[in-house]
Amino acid sequence: MTPEQLRAFCLEFNAATEEFPFGPETSVFKVLGKMFALTALDGKPLTVNLKCDPDDAVRLRGEHAAIVPGWHMNKRHWNTVDVAGLPDRLVRELIEDSYDLVVAGLPKAERLRLDRA
């Protein structure tokens, strides 16, 4: 997955936005003001921080060397994913799972508005 593909995929979700609160080099993807992905799109290697269920986070880290505890994040709830170290399909699933976890924490009215009850 290229940086352009990663960015485009993150922006495909309902109400997803890209912001730069940490400077122009760090893309923060949010849904209704809540972060679901954080990446330096020009980073070498290309990595992305993604929210993850705590039990799944530990399991994924054990199964994939390209997934480690979230850099500069709550390591219980966030993983850092080396995009080149995983199949695109899995990276997409992890991004979608992150988005879904963030949406699940939103008030019901906002979840319904996003069509992800």
Side-chain angles (χ1 to χ4, degrees), residues 32-109:
L32 300 181
K34 303 290 184 182
M35 178 172 58
F36 69 92
L38 174 130
T39 184
L41 290 171
D42 60 352
K44 305 271 190 274
L46 177 60
T47 62
V48 59
N49 284 1
L50 300 169
K51 192 167 181 101
C52 192
D53 173 80
D55 294 329
D56 289 339
V58 172
R59 179 185 54 78
L60 287 163
R61 293 172 198 160
E63 293 175 358
H64 304 280
I67 301 176
V68 297
W71 184 70
H72 284 291
M73 306 295 278
N74 179 330
K75 291 166 183 20
R76 179 169 151 73
H77 296 278
W78 290 84
N79 280 336
T80 297
V81 175
D82 181 342
V83 173
L86 297 172
D88 285 1
R89 177 190 51 75
L90 179 55
V91 173
R92 290 175 188 274
E93 287 175 13
L94 295 172
I95 294 169
E96 185 171 8
D97 289 348
S98 181
Y99 176 88
D100 288 343
L101 275 172
V102 172
V103 169
L106 295 172
K108 185 176 182 180

Side-chain angles (χ1 to χ4, degrees), residues 7-20:
R7 179 180 185 274
F9 186 71
C10 287
L11 291 173
E12 285 181 9
F13 296 100
N14 290 343
T17 60
E18 180 180 22
E19 299 179 15
F20 301 91

